[in-house]
């Protein structure tokens, strides 16, 4: 099979299309023919070594979120059958690229996968696992502050994958959502249910103070300037410490795979209760170009590789 391997640490040029051994399903595993794999900023960061747990020894396969169909079932595996459509998240923070999703096939633990409803296409499904789970889990950290419905929450990066899902989930929870949109993308963010849409150029210090901020980009200090004293800020990567005297709770949201949550989120997207966007599909063999486009920015949605 073909896979895309990071042969060294560096820019998109380190990604190489490589012939790899066909995977074999072990006990509790299935082989998935990958029909779609989402390209995340986390994939780009993995190739440069700029990830929370430190650089991964090369070579490795990037790729977290996959969608496809089961082509083989391992011993003692009864949960899925050949032909089943599935979506899932490779817990890359554990596998460290062995395996990763940038391949035609992957031997996946059944615990990484959930059934894929017939009404949801592979490309859209591949945008859900990492983004939607991160959004849900970040909002759960904010909810520890026991904020009642109607509380104002500022969400940065609402045009993006995590921020877009966070906006919708916060609206579902009854919060008053102030969502920062990318330039020219205000209409999409309005459609996610945000109460107030804030242009990217806005000085966030003039927006608050608000009790809670979900810094999905993250932008760091500008977002922290919007939170009130004794409020809470949740960021998706480490950010500078807020002045301790303000009493702000500062939390870091790093993804953890929650299969039951993933199944619910995929079902919500399939039913149209949560929206997602695909900016475009790119052949797996052109993964390096996809990384260049992610680095260039300005995408309206996620790029998805199609093996």
């Amino acid at each position: 099979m073909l896979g895309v391997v990071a042969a060294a640490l560096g820019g998109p040029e380190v990604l190489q299309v490589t012939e790899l051994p066909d995977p074999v399903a072990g006990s509790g595993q299935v082989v998935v023919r990958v029909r779609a794999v989402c390209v995340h900023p986390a994939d780009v960061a993995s190739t440069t070594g700029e990830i929370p747990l430190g650089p991964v020894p090369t070579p490795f396969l990037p790729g977290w979120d996959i969608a496809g169909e089961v082509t083989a079932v391992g011993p003692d595996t009864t949960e899925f059958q050949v032909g089943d459509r599935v979506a899932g998240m490779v817990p890359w923070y554990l596998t460290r690229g062995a395996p990763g999703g940038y391949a035609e096939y992957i031997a996946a633990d059944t615990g990484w996968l959930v059934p894929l409803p017939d009404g949801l296409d592979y490309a859209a499904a591949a945008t859900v696992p990492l983004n939607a789970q991160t959004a849900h889990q970040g909002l759960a950290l904010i909810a520890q502050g026991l904020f009642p419905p109607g509380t104002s929450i500022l969400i940065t990066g609402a045009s993006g994958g995590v921020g877009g899902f966070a906006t919708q989930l916060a609206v579902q929870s009854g919060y008053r959502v102030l969502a920062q949109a990318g330039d020219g993308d205000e209409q999409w963010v309005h459609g996610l249910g945000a109460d107030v849409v804030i242009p990217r150029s806005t000085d966030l210090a003039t927006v608050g103070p608000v009790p809670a901020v979900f810094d999905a980009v993250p932008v760091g200090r500008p977002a922290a300037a919007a939170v009130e004293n004794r409020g809470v800020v949740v960021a998706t990567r480490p950010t500078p410490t807020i002045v301790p005297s303000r009493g702000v709770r500062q939390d870091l949201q790093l993804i953890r795979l929650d299969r039951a949550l993933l199944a619910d989120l995929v079902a919500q997207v399939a039913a149209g209760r949560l929206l997602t966007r695909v900016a475009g599909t790119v052949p797996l063999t052109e993964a390096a170009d996809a990384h260049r486009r992610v680095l260039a920015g300005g995408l309206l949605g996620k790029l998805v590789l199609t093996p």
Side-chain angles (χ1 to χ4, degrees):
M1 71 167 186
L2 292 181
V4 175
V5 172
L9 294 181
E13 70 279 356
V14 305
L15 294 176
Q16 297 183 0
V17 180
T18 306
E19 187 71 33
L20 300 170
D22 290 340
V24 177
S27 180
Q29 291 187 320
V30 297
V31 173
V32 177
R33 181 179 182 181
V34 179
R35 295 291 194 176
V37 53
C38 193
V39 180
H40 289 297
D43 298 320
V44 177
S46 73
T47 65
T48 60
E50 298 170 303
I51 53 178
L53 297 179
V56 175
T58 57
F60 61 80
L61 277 77
W64 291 69
D65 291 352
I66 61 170
E69 71 262 4
V70 174
T71 60
V73 177
D76 305 319
T77 303
T78 59
E79 190 168 356
F80 294 106
Q81 299 179 353
V82 173
D84 285 351
R85 286 164 36 95
V86 294
M89 189 186 90
V90 179
W92 210 90
Y93 53 90
L94 298 176
T95 72
R96 309 277 276 175
Y102 282 26
E104 293 181 308
Y105 295 88
I106 184 173
D109 292 359
T110 57
W112 302 350
L113 305 171
V114 299
L116 178 58
D118 289 338
L120 184 57
D121 67 66
Y122 292 120
T127 69
V128 176
L130 178 62
N131 291 321
Q133 286 187 102
T134 299
H136 191 284
Q137 291 166 1
L139 289 172
L141 288 175
I142 287 176
Q144 292 176 5
L146 301 178
F147 298 117
T151 297
S152 293
I153 293 181
L154 169 64
I155 298 174
T156 69
S159 297
V162 174
F165 280 117
T167 297
Q168 296 173 83
L169 292 168
V171 170
Q172 286 184 9
S173 297
Y175 295 121
R176 177 177 179 268
V177 177
L178 291 69
Q180 187 180 40
D183 295 334
D185 212 16
E186 293 85 359
Q187 185 175 353
W188 166 258
V189 176
H190 269 300
L192 301 180
D195 295 274
V196 178
V197 176
I198 303 164
R200 178 181 292 174
S201 58
T202 302
D203 179 0
L204 295 180
T206 66
V207 173
V210 294
V213 175
F214 190 165
D215 192 8
V217 177
V219 298
R221 294 192 188 280
V227 71
E228 65 186 29
N229 292 343
R230 293 175 296 281
V232 59
V233 174
V234 173
T236 54
R237 289 198 306 274
T239 54
T241 301
I242 298 171
V243 179
S245 62
R246 292 186 57 200
V248 173
R249 176 165 61 87
Q250 195 169 0
D251 286 324
L252 174 63
Q253 169 55 41
L254 296 178
I255 185 68
R256 63 185 185 282
L257 176 59
D258 182 333
R259 192 184 188 195
L261 173 61
L262 176 57
D264 176 67
L265 293 167
V266 168
Q268 288 200 57
V269 174
R273 293 191 296 273
L274 288 174
L275 304 179
T276 188
R277 293 193 290 185
V278 176
T281 58
V282 180
L284 175 68
T285 53
E286 298 177 19
D289 182 61
H291 276 219
R292 292 186 186 97
R293 291 173 64 183
V294 169
L295 285 167
L299 294 168
L300 301 182
K302 307 296 289 188
L303 286 181
V304 176
L305 301 177
T306 53

